[in-house]
Amino acid sequence: AKKLLSRSDFMDLLQNYDKDNIAESRLKKLRKQYINAEEMQVEVIQKVSKAGSGLCLWARAMDVYADVAKEVGPKKLRLDEMKAQLAITTAELKEKQAQLKIVLDRVAGLQKTCDETLAEKNRLQA
């Protein structure tokens, strides 16, 4: 532990820790040996070492993060699936709207032709 703590890149190791891929066995060991241990409670460690209390808080944060990530992960996947489906449906909607515009423009053209024809008919009958 002292060897690890004395490394010059120790803070970088903590900040860049791959928190999204913590092994379940490591989490079980963390919970069993440290998180639930009486002597590893933040209040107890704070009395002994501020640096130790920071590490204790970090470990607890990783534990909470792992639980939240486990719950949120499937929801993120579902969200990504729904976004992909929305993109497909939106593209189809735009295509249909473009087709509708073509039809409405043609109907407007036919209506104009009809109106002009009726006006010509009325002019000729008068």
Side-chain angles (χ1 to χ4, degrees):
K2 286 184 181 183
K3 189 175 184 180
L4 181 63
L5 289 172
S6 66
R7 288 180 56 172
S8 60
D9 64 340
F10 181 67
M11 287 303 293
D12 290 333
L13 289 173
L14 293 179
Q15 290 174 341
N16 298 322
Y17 188 77
D18 187 11
K19 60 188 174 283
D20 293 317
N21 296 311
I22 302 173
E24 191 63 36
S25 60
R26 184 166 289 181
L27 288 170
K28 285 181 183 178
K29 183 177 180 181
L30 176 71
R31 290 178 185 135
K32 183 178 178 184
Q33 295 180 359
Y34 301 104
I35 299 294
N36 297 325
E38 191 67 36
E39 65 274 7
M40 295 302 287
Q41 299 305 308
V42 177
E43 300 81 25
V44 174
I45 293 179
Q46 258 179 342
K47 294 175 186 175
V48 179
S49 167
K50 292 211 184 265
S53 68
L55 285 173
C56 181
L57 287 170
W58 180 85
R60 289 176 178 279
M62 291 298 106
D63 181 47
V64 170
Y65 181 87
D67 284 342
V68 171
K70 189 183 300 181
E71 185 174 323
V72 172
K75 292 176 183 179
K76 281 185 178 180
L77 292 175
R78 180 78 172 136
L79 175 63
D80 291 342
E81 290 172 3
M82 292 292 102
K83 282 182 179 179
Q85 182 62 41
L86 177 62
I88 292 168
T89 304
T90 302
E92 290 173 357
L93 174 62
K94 285 183 180 183
E95 183 181 328
K96 297 296 181 187
Q97 286 174 333
Q99 291 173 357
L100 176 62
K101 183 180 181 330
I102 292 169
V103 170
L104 290 176
D105 289 346
R106 185 159 182 211
V107 167
L110 291 172
Q111 184 65 47
K112 182 180 176 187
T113 303
C114 180
D115 292 344
E116 290 171 354
T117 304
L118 285 175
E120 180 69 19
K121 175 186 163 197
N122 290 337
R123 186 185 64 79
L124 293 173
Q125 286 180 345

